[in-house]
Amino acid sequence: MATKSEETVPFRGYRTWYQVVGELPATSGKLPLLVLHGGPGVPHDYLEDLSGLAADERAVVFYDQIGCGNSDHPDDGDLW
């Protein structure tokens, strides 16, 4: 089973959540898949089946946009 790690990165004073399934950098040399969810308002959850691609030694990176899912939910209209 592929490893999973979760982190956040700062953006304009807020935190954007992301998860890596597999290893970065990939020892296979395969480029990672960056999964972009629909939105706004729809988190990455419905795309989690794509994590199965990590079994082929390709890292899969999910993230949630600011205001969605596991990222911060600011109350700042200027961001939208």
Side-chain angles (χ1 to χ4, degrees), residues 37-57:
H37 63 83
V42 179
H44 77 282
D45 302 27
Y46 72 101
L47 297 165
E48 286 182 346
D49 284 345
L50 293 173
S51 65
L53 294 172
D56 191 32
E57 298 184 37

Side-chain angles (χ1 to χ4, degrees), residues 31-80:
L31 294 174
L33 173 66
L34 176 59
V35 181
L36 307 175
H37 63 83
V42 179
H44 77 282
D45 302 27
Y46 72 101
L47 297 165
E48 286 182 346
D49 284 345
L50 293 173
S51 65
L53 294 172
D56 191 32
E57 298 184 37
R58 177 182 309 279
V60 181
V61 181
F62 297 96
Y63 90 106
D64 286 334
Q65 299 169 10
I66 292 289
C68 192
N70 297 315
S71 290
D72 285 347
H73 295 249
D75 189 22
D76 180 354
D78 290 340
L79 292 172
W80 319 119

Side-chain angles (χ1 to χ4, degrees), residues 5-6 9 11 14 19 22 26-28 34 54 57 61 73 75 78:
S5 61
E6 296 183 22
V9 293
F11 177 75
Y14 300 101
Q19 179 184 66
T27 57
S28 67
L34 176 59
E57 298 184 37
V61 181
H73 295 249
D75 189 22
D78 290 340

